[in-house]
Amino acid sequence: MEASLKIGDAAPNFTLPATKKEKISLSDYYGRKNVVVAFYGMDFTPG
């Protein structure tokens, strides 16, 4: 089941791959930093 978020909803925790084979979770930054997640198809990839 896919959940939908509305403006003002808290984002669910998620984990994504980062550089150097690390993984980063949203919960790593909870209460410490503002977080912006952006997705761009083909950006940051070799052309």
Side-chain angles (χ1 to χ4, degrees):
M1 180 201 285
E2 191 173 312
S4 296
L5 295 176
K6 295 177 183 74
I7 294 174
D9 286 351
N13 190 42
F14 57 86
T15 301
L16 297 172
T19 58
K20 300 180 184 175
K21 298 182 183 179
E22 297 175 22
K23 291 188 178 186
I24 295 177
S25 295
L26 181 60
S27 61
D28 295 340
Y29 297 94
Y30 183 77
R32 296 177 39 209
K33 303 237 180 212
N34 292 323
V35 177
V36 174
V37 178
F39 295 91
Y40 296 96
M42 301 301 287
D43 269 4
F44 313 114
T45 59

